[in-house]
Amino acid sequence: TAEHAATAARSKGGGEGGGEGGGKGEEVGSIGGVPAVRFLLGCLRAFDGEKDPRNLLSFLQLLRTLCARCEAVAAAGWSEAVGEVFDSLSYYFPISFTPPPGDSHGITRAHLLTSLIRTLRASPRFAPLALPFLFEHLSAPPLTDAADEED
């Protein structure tokens, strides 16, 4: 799952703030010996389109960690990968989630939105992509879904 991949990335030095290589003898910009951007894109493609809210929270945490890592070490290929990562993240906007009745997990729409925003803030390289995206979505006709009216 995404949670296991996030744990593996952190244990290999992929945690936030880890600007040096992930482990002993590991190159800067790699995770477990795999180039950081290749690792990030592999995870992105494996979980892209995830809909289960528990997995989505783990997926966003993993992406946030990996994006911050790529940014911190100026990983080779990161500039070219930013667009693909942003496109994958933008798929989830706007968040349209209503917990089912009797949900024992306690995940809310606000949890998912906060996690998405935190992931987008993992790299300043997302900003030039986010502004036109948000402008386009904010200038669209108003949403009429009851869940959207709550916000």
Side-chain angles (χ1 to χ4, degrees), residues 70-125:
C70 288
E71 189 67 38
V73 301
W78 174 228
S79 294
E80 295 79 12
V82 166
E84 183 176 344
V85 175
F86 181 82
D87 287 345
S88 178
L89 292 171
S90 67
Y91 169 81
Y92 296 103
F93 183 85
I95 299 284
S96 57
F97 171 72
T98 303
D103 178 47
S104 61
H105 301 293
I107 297 172
T108 66
R109 185 176 183 191
H111 290 124
L112 295 169
L113 181 59
T114 299
S115 188
L116 177 61
I117 291 170
R118 288 183 68 207
T119 303
L120 288 168
R121 292 180 64 201
S123 172
R125 296 172 197 252

Side-chain angles (χ1 to χ4, degrees), residues 54-76:
R54 295 168 295 174
N55 292 341
L56 183 55
L57 284 175
S58 295
F59 172 57
L60 291 171
Q61 178 184 359
L62 173 64
L63 284 182
R64 179 170 58 253
T65 300
L66 294 174
C67 289
R69 166 73 180 228
C70 288
E71 189 67 38
V73 301

